[in-house]
Amino acid sequence: MRILFIHPNYRSGGAEIAGTWPPAWVAYLTGSLRRVGFDDIHFIDAMTDNIDDADLADQIAALAPDVVGVTAITPSIYRAEEVLRIAQDRAPKALRMLGGVHATFMYKQVLSEAPWVDVIVRGEGEEILTELMCAVRDGRWPADKHQIKGLAFIDGDQIVATQAASTVKDLDGIDPDWTILEWEKYIYIPLNTRVAIPNMARGCPFTCSFCSQWKFWRDYRVRDPKKVVDEIEKLVNEQGVGFFILADEEPTINRKKFIQFCEELIARDLPRRVKWGINTRVTDIYRDRELLKFYRKAGLVHVSLGTEAAAQMKLDIFNKETKVEENKTAIRLLREADILVEAQFIVGLDNETPETLNETYKMAWDWQPDLANWAMYTPWPFTPLFQELKDQVEVFDFSRYNFVTPIMKPAAMTRGELLDGVMNNYRRFYMKKALFHYPWRGTGFRRRYLLGCLKAFMKAGFARTFYDLGKVGYTGPQSKNKLDFQFDTTRTIAEAQMDDWDASADKAARAAERREALRAQGKERSRQRTADFKMPNGAQVKACGGGTDQMEEV
């Protein structure tokens, strides 16, 4: 049975300006399938190779697959749907399947707008996909489709979701097949070296209201650090990888295992051959302040901090559980340990103004991170914050939900003014860094790394691919009122998805009402018991001090 995986061709001028990222998802899925005997597996990276639809159609036809699988995050969902539509034309007998975070939570939307999708894999793919492919190979598909957990599909005129599958409990049993990728294509521009994105942990115990990772991965699990280092050592030795970024939302949550990971890297002398970066929280940097130089010794050279918002009000809205003053200190601690630090700011909420945008610039310059990034607030349609703000959402063109397009329009600014304000922050910050910091500060490695980052920014800027500037027509402040964000206004939320949201909201509201009713009943029973109780001598029950009032429950 021939299986073909395809990474859709989608670009936004965001993260990809730093390099060409390897699609790790295909390695993890391929590894799981090979373990149970599937060996005829192919991969087309349409994004990295910039393959157009006509060429992709010819490649699909030439391979004649039995199964075509695609994954998608929210902004790439339409490209993924189109890949499967092409597969319907050029490999009509193939099973067409879709996975990823967007399809997991928005399966009713996807199946309504792309009914040619045969099946959606909901959640972590390794075990669900393996069971699905075994059913296809053994001739049990589609007869057994209702018995396979973690799927969604159209059955007659109904959209059906089977029972959710459990998360992968044995992460150490996962063995990705990195050979499925052509490694010479995946280059990290700042260091001009091959880059990988391995996975040490899945999930996140925090529930930031704008994030979907804690919903997708559900429970937090960590792999054996030695097995992770085995994988990294193999990537270095066999694929020539010189830089990696841990894919984890926050790899430092489990402090003990993160330390073991660093110790194992040092014991194998890997920091001499490979450097690496992570995303993490300010609070973990505070906690590990005495360990930061040790982390640097283990090869950690780049930390991206979710400082998120200049105003504490925004941090509270996002449920970040951090304080503004902690951000500045965390950045200082990292720089003192010779670890490059990138500060992430989220802008573009309803209360954004030119003054608040300028405030984030002043904070960035005051805090002095090595790099700063201003991301447009993007309300993932399956997060709690979207549900709270959906009455304010005007754009349902998910291809523009990419952190660089102003989906939400602030009350006091146009989208063009917001984009121009963000570009002004970038211009001021990086011009001053380029002139007065990067060429003159730090060690030889730090200087080389930062100049490499500057090269990546300049390359994307001159090509006008950064932040999709060429696509929207931004040429500078003079163009801010003439921009065309090219929103597809025909895109709407499907009726089935709206019904699902309404049903979920009703269910949550009923549950809240039940909880409140139970609390009220408990208080009433407690009051009644107190009123009915008498001391053996018939005396009235008194509180300490002789009063009759009792402390209210809080």
Side-chain angles (χ1 to χ4, degrees):
M1 187 172 83
R2 176 164 293 179
I3 300 170
L4 171 61
F5 291 120
I6 301 173
H7 194 71
N9 187 5
Y10 176 85
R11 301 165 187 270
S12 68
E16 69 265 22
I17 70 167
T20 308
W21 305 103
W25 66 272
V26 72
Y28 283 94
L29 295 182
T30 299
S32 295
L33 290 174
R34 290 202 193 283
R35 287 182 61 189
V36 295
F38 293 97
D39 56 12
D40 192 0
I41 303 174
H42 301 259
F43 176 55
I44 298 174
D45 189 347
M47 178 179 176
T48 296
D49 294 336
N50 197 26
I51 298 173
D52 62 26
D53 287 351
D55 189 8
L56 180 62
D58 290 342
Q59 292 191 41
I60 293 173
L63 284 167
D66 299 293
V67 178
V68 178
V70 189
T71 192
I73 56 175
T74 293
S76 65
I77 186 62
Y78 303 143
R79 295 302 309 147
E81 292 172 356
E82 180 62 14
V83 167
L84 294 182
R85 191 200 62 75
I86 293 169
Q88 182 185 41
D89 292 339
R90 303 305 298 272
K93 295 182 179 180
L95 178 72
R96 299 176 294 276
M97 61 184 184
L98 176 63
V101 62
H102 185 90
T104 291
F105 296 113
M106 299 287 286
Y107 64 90
K108 289 190 175 181
Q109 174 78 26
V110 171
L111 293 172
S112 295
E113 66 194 11
W116 54 84
V117 175
D118 290 321
V119 62
I120 287 174
V121 174
R122 298 165 49 234
E124 290 177 275
E126 288 90 353
E127 293 179 352
I128 303 170
L129 180 64
T130 297
E131 186 174 356
L132 173 60
M133 292 299 95
C134 287
V136 174
R137 180 191 60 192
D138 299 342
R140 293 183 287 108
W141 179 271
D144 287 357
K145 62 184 179 183
H146 289 272
Q147 279 67 56
I148 301 174
K149 295 179 180 179
L151 301 182
F153 46 79
I154 297 175
D155 192 1
D157 60 355
Q158 299 293 316
I159 294 175
V160 175
T162 64
Q163 180 182 340
S166 65
T167 54
V168 177
K169 303 305 180 186
D170 182 19
L171 286 187
D172 291 329
I174 293 177
D175 184 18
D177 178 14
W178 293 109
T179 65
I180 195 74
L181 301 174
E182 298 178 44
W183 282 96
E184 68 276 6
K185 298 177 179 179
Y186 304 108
I187 302 298
Y188 185 57
I189 293 175
L191 293 177
N192 191 31
T193 189
R194 295 183 184 183
V195 59
I197 313 178
N199 185 234
M200 186 165 83
R202 291 184 179 179
C204 181
F206 300 102
T207 57
C208 295
S209 61
F210 59 87
C211 183
S212 63
Q213 292 300 308
W214 59 272
K215 291 184 66 179
F216 183 80
W217 301 110
R218 293 184 281 174
D219 52 320
Y220 177 68
R221 295 145 289 148
V222 187
R223 295 170 65 190
D224 180 346
K226 289 188 177 181
K227 290 186 178 296
V228 181
V229 177
D230 286 344
E231 186 178 318
I232 290 167
E233 189 170 36
K234 194 173 181 180
L235 283 166
V236 173
N237 291 338
E238 297 180 7
Q239 310 302 341
V241 168
F243 185 79
F244 68 86
I245 296 177
L246 287 176
D248 312 24
E249 282 300 294
E250 186 188 351
T252 54
I253 294 175
N254 190 316
R255 185 173 184 263
K256 179 180 178 181
K257 288 201 172 184
F258 189 73
I259 290 172
Q260 291 173 351
F261 173 71
C262 292
E263 289 173 339
E264 193 67 24
L265 287 168
I266 293 171
R268 303 190 197 187
D269 195 29
L270 282 170
R272 180 177 56 84
R273 304 169 61 197
V274 63
K275 301 295 187 287
W276 50 287
I278 61 171
N279 298 287
T280 193
R281 289 169 60 92
V282 165
T283 48
D284 285 12
I285 300 302
Y286 255 73
R287 181 199 67 194
D288 295 350
R289 61 175 67 203
E290 302 302 324
L291 290 168
L292 296 180
K293 290 186 178 179
F294 165 69
Y295 294 162
R296 178 64 180 85
K297 182 180 178 182
L300 177 61
V301 298
H302 188 140
V303 170
S304 179
L305 278 182
T307 51
E308 311 300 7
Q312 184 61 45
M313 178 177 64
K314 290 184 183 177
L315 290 175
D316 295 339
I317 290 172
F318 294 151
N319 194 24
K320 283 297 293 184
E321 303 175 21
T322 60
K323 301 296 180 184
V324 168
E325 60 269 18
E326 295 172 348
N327 296 328
K328 182 176 182 178
T329 303
I331 289 170
R332 176 179 58 79
L333 291 169
L334 286 165
R335 294 186 73 241
E336 288 174 353
D338 197 30
I339 297 173
L340 287 91
V341 56
E342 178 179 1
Q344 301 280 352
F345 295 97
I346 290 179
V347 297
L349 270 75
D350 183 65
N351 61 347
E352 199 74 74
T353 65
E355 291 73 26
T356 59
L357 273 179
N358 188 55
E359 187 68 20
T360 62
Y361 164 74
K362 290 193 293 185
M363 279 193 170
W365 195 253
D366 176 52
W367 295 351
Q368 277 299 301
D370 298 289
L371 303 163
N373 182 47
W374 284 267
M376 298 291 185
Y377 168 61
T378 302
W380 297 127
F382 32 78
T383 58
L385 194 54
F386 183 90
Q387 299 300 322
E388 295 173 20
L389 299 177
K390 64 182 179 181
D391 290 341
Q392 302 173 36
V393 179
E394 302 171 338
V395 177
F396 298 101
D397 178 356
F398 293 136
S399 69
R400 312 297 285 158
Y401 279 50
N402 49 26
F403 292 111
V404 304
T405 304
I407 297 298
M408 303 292 287
K409 191 192 86 62
M413 305 178 73
T414 66
R415 288 185 174 84
E417 290 169 338
L418 174 60
L419 179 61
D420 182 60
V422 168
M423 289 302 106
N424 188 37
N425 283 358
Y426 275 113
R427 282 191 294 265
R428 291 183 289 175
F429 183 86
Y430 284 101
M431 186 175 294
K432 290 169 74 172
K433 284 286 187 180
L435 290 174
F436 304 114
H437 286 227
Y438 292 168
W440 325 109
R441 301 287 180 93
T443 64
F445 174 82
R446 170 180 285 271
R447 188 161 48 245
R448 179 166 66 91
Y449 191 109
L450 289 172
L451 288 174
C453 292
L454 184 62
K455 175 185 176 182
F457 271 112
M458 292 178 65
K459 181 180 178 182
F462 283 124
R464 297 180 68 210
T465 55
F466 179 64
Y467 256 66
D468 249 357
L469 298 183
K471 184 174 181 179
V472 303
Y474 182 84
T475 56
Q478 73 281 356
S479 63
K480 63 184 177 183
N481 295 320
K482 303 175 184 177
L483 304 185
D484 179 6
F485 291 103
Q486 302 178 31
F487 296 129
D488 183 350
T489 57
T490 66
R491 298 283 185 179
T492 59
I493 300 298
E495 183 177 345
Q497 189 67 57
M498 288 294 292
D499 290 344
D500 191 46
W501 283 349
D502 291 342
S504 297
D506 289 343
K507 183 178 179 181
R510 288 196 300 271
E513 289 174 1
R514 285 196 297 271
R515 289 193 298 270
E516 186 58 37
L518 288 172
R519 281 196 292 266
Q521 291 172 11
K523 288 182 180 179
E524 177 58 26
R525 284 195 295 268
S526 176
R527 188 197 64 77
Q528 191 62 44
R529 283 195 300 269
T530 301
D532 292 345
F533 181 78
K534 299 291 184 183
M535 295 293 287
N537 62 2
Q540 183 182 5
V541 177
K542 300 258 185 174
C544 180
T548 58
D549 293 337
Q550 299 292 312
M551 179 180 291
E552 293 184 4
E553 294 183 29
V554 295

